[in-house]
Amino acid sequence: MTTASPTHAAGPAPEPDAARAAIVCTGIRKTYHLGRVPVPVLHGIDLSVGRGEVLAILGSSGSGKSTLLHLLGGLDRPDGPSAGGGRENARASIDVLGTRITEAGTAELDRFRARTVGFVFQFYHLLPELSVLQNVLVAGMIRHGAGIGRAGVPERARGLLEAFGLGHRLRHRPVELSGGERQRVAIARALINDPPILLADEPTGNLDRKTGETILDALMEHRASTGRTMVIVTHDRLVAQRADRVVEIVDGRLATPGTV
Ligand SMILES: Nc1ncnc2c1ncn2[C@@H]1O[C@H](COP(=O)(O)OP(=O)(O)O)[C@@H](O)[C@H]1O
Ligand SMILES: [Mg+2]
């Protein structure tokens, strides 16, 4: 089997070794099924993301970027040995900060999703009935993470929203906000429990260039102040350029940008 291994862009960051990696995945395959028709999307992904690294995963629409990000965040599972891949899939694994999520049971995976990763989606996924502040609070109350206990959640939520320039919007509903403002709320929500890893799926994909830049600025500022690990999925090369390193999904495998 020839598996393209991810290589780094012209930037300074090399592929991290396993000891420094926040995420290591090996031999990941994913096939959807439309009725009886198998739709193979990922054909053997090997990828490492270093601790504190900002990695961009570039790819055209439909290339499998969201699929891969969902697998990394434990929102979905890769093909197992029984999914038609036979013995090849037996070696598929995803390790995230010491948890082998490909072998985690449902309860462990729930804990992992609550504590280890924050998700930012292209279309925000805010709850329309709730205010800006409530949207962030709900995520914190469900999980009450960040080592602050339940009592500290409202203060942290306000602090995050103020840091993102939304202090004057706390009681507004999402529908009253611009796209860029909604996405900043979604980022605050993703960060409420201080997850060590932020996974962002086309966080600027629905925004104009200038607004998208402010979202990327907010994400990079988060990394600068916390040293947290980020994976940003995008179809936009200009967005990818902001990352420390870029890998590209082509035909279900990872490649070096510019070589395909
Ligand atoms: N739940 C699903 N069932 C069937 N096919 C799917 C499903 N989700 C995604 N796909 C297909 O998998 C491919 C990759 O999708 P996706 O990961 O969303 O790509 P991207 O995020 O790069 O646009 C597409 O062809 C898409 O139609
Ligand atoms: Mg997508």
Side-chain angles (χ1 to χ4, degrees), residues 94-116:
I94 302 175
D95 293 287
V96 184
L97 294 174
T99 300
R100 177 151 294 194
I101 62 172
T102 35
E103 280 166 27
T106 310
E108 194 184 353
L109 206 54
D110 283 347
R111 265 199 309 279
F112 165 81
R113 281 194 301 262
R115 292 179 187 168
T116 309

Side-chain angles (χ1 to χ4, degrees), residues 188-240:
R189 178 184 57 188
L191 298 179
I192 185 69
N193 296 305
D194 197 19
I197 299 175
L198 188 70
L199 303 175
D201 192 354
E202 309 240 22
T204 66
N206 203 36
L207 303 172
D208 63 70
R209 173 72 61 198
K210 192 159 165 284
T211 309
E213 285 290 328
T214 68
I215 294 301
L216 289 172
D217 291 345
L219 291 173
M220 298 311 282
E221 165 58 27
H222 164 70
R223 196 276 294 267
S225 60
T226 63
R228 295 306 205 189
T229 307
M230 276 198 281
V231 180
I232 302 175
V233 151
T234 181
H235 65 273
D236 184 337
R237 285 176 194 278
L238 288 174
V239 171

Side-chain angles (χ1 to χ4, degrees), residues 58-181:
L58 189 61
S60 55
S61 178
S63 61
K65 303 181 297 298
S66 296
T67 298
L68 177 57
L69 204 67
H70 291 176
L71 297 177
L72 299 182
L75 298 179
D76 199 358
R77 290 183 187 269
D79 293 351
S82 60
R87 231 177 294 150
E88 261 181 2
N89 286 335
R91 70 179 193 93
S93 62
I94 302 175
D95 293 287
V96 184
L97 294 174
T99 300
R100 177 151 294 194
I101 62 172
T102 35
E103 280 166 27
T106 310
E108 194 184 353
L109 206 54
D110 283 347
R111 265 199 309 279
F112 165 81
R113 281 194 301 262
R115 292 179 187 168
T116 309
V117 291
F119 249 98
V120 177
F121 301 94
Q122 178 173 353
F123 295 104
Y124 328 126
H125 290 310
L126 299 174
L127 296 169
E129 304 301 322
L130 301 185
S131 72
V132 161
L133 181 60
Q134 286 166 337
N135 263 281
V136 179
L137 281 177
V138 163
M141 289 300 179
I142 292 169
R143 302 167 182 174
H144 51 94
I148 52 178
R150 232 166 222 271
V153 172
E155 197 185 323
R156 179 171 164 81
R158 276 198 197 86
L160 279 167
L161 288 164
E162 277 163 17
F164 288 137
L166 293 165
H168 61 302
R169 294 291 206 188
L170 300 183
R171 316 231 161 264
H172 290 238
R173 297 274 164 93
V175 70
E176 298 173 287
L177 306 185
S178 70
E181 288 173 326

